[in-house]
Amino acid sequence: MLDKSIPYHEIWMTRLKNEPVPSVRLPEGFRFSYYQKGDMSEWAAIEASVLEFDNAEEGLAYFEQAFAPFEEELAHRMLFIEDEAGRKVATCTAWWKDVDGQRLPLFHWLAVKPEAQRRGLAGALVSKATALLQELEPGKDIYLHTQTWSYEAIRLYERFGYQLIAENIDGSKNESYQKAMEIIEAQNQRE
């Protein structure tokens, strides 16, 4: 869940192309699934549960604008984790971003419902989505956009080879980088 009690600063991470991806198994009782038509409400509910949006309706509006035009791509890029009852409790997307005419792989929108956290689901999604990006976008470094509110997730991403970078995805200087690093370091020292 996002920690909105600290100042917000955005930051980018990258993972070098073709580096081996640590494999993580899902805990017993959980399974991966891919997006199917109609899963947009599930996605929005998961993202709202971790405070990415104030409510599911905001999440649906974002989904309509950013993802709905690419429904065929979603079927093999948007991952979910389902529990034994078939309820979707986590999601992540192996997406892309067009930058200066170049398509860059983008690890995107990782979220685990609060009641399903601390069970290893996030690590399993990072592993699966990263491997999927290597398959779908071979030979390219992978990018990940995050923020200081996600300092706990940043530690997870680092365990999977993602590194904080001082630039934005387009190569321009991230003016928030130094401040973001100070906040992340202060949070890590408190833990």
Side-chain angles (χ1 to χ4, degrees):
M1 184 151 352
L2 300 179
D3 181 353
K4 293 186 175 183
S5 70
I6 61 175
Y8 174 91
H9 291 282
E10 66 179 62
I11 195 161
W12 284 92
M13 300 182 82
T14 191
R15 187 177 196 283
L16 297 178
K17 60 187 167 213
N18 303 325
E19 288 292 317
V21 181
S23 180
V24 176
R25 291 179 177 249
L26 278 174
E28 191 172 321
F30 294 94
R31 65 181 172 271
F32 285 112
S33 66
Y34 283 91
Y35 174 88
Q36 295 179 6
K37 190 174 180 95
D39 282 344
M40 62 197 319
S41 295
E42 298 286 346
W43 181 88
I46 294 167
E47 294 294 343
S49 77
V50 297
L51 308 177
E52 285 287 357
F53 300 102
D54 288 337
N55 54 57
E57 291 74 27
E58 283 184 14
L60 281 171
Y62 178 88
F63 190 100
E64 282 290 334
Q65 177 264 324
F67 290 129
F70 306 99
E71 196 160 54
E72 286 183 29
E73 291 286 340
L74 290 172
H76 60 273
R77 287 180 174 272
M78 184 172 278
L79 295 162
F80 289 97
I81 294 178
E82 299 177 4
D83 64 13
E84 288 179 313
R87 292 180 298 251
K88 290 179 172 55
V89 298
T91 187
C92 187
T93 305
W95 208 237
W96 73 89
K97 185 170 182 71
D98 291 318
V99 177
D100 298 329
Q102 187 178 14
R103 182 171 158 144
L104 301 176
L106 185 62
F107 181 97
H108 209 33
W109 290 100
L110 172 70
V112 179
K113 284 186 172 181
E115 64 269 19
Q117 292 178 3
R118 310 275 183 228
R119 297 184 188 171
L121 302 183
L125 274 171
V126 174
S127 176
K128 179 94 170 164
T130 300
L132 184 58
L133 279 165
Q134 285 183 336
E135 176 186 325
L136 294 170
E137 307 286 342
K140 296 180 180 178
D141 293 345
I142 300 170
Y143 291 87
L144 186 160
H145 179 264
T146 191
Q147 64 274 330
T148 49
W149 291 348
S150 297
Y151 62 87
E152 287 188 43
I154 290 170
R155 290 193 300 255
L156 172 69
Y157 301 144
E158 288 175 331
R159 289 198 311 264
F160 285 87
Y162 289 89
Q163 299 173 356
L164 292 161
I165 57 174
E167 298 82 30
N168 296 310
I169 194 170
D170 64 2
S172 65
K173 181 180 178 184
N174 178 351
E175 299 296 337
S176 293
Y177 178 77
Q178 190 58 44
K179 189 65 176 165
M181 294 304 294
E182 291 169 12
I183 292 167
I184 291 167
E185 186 177 324
Q187 292 306 313
N188 288 339
Q189 289 177 355
R190 290 185 185 147
E191 299 278 315

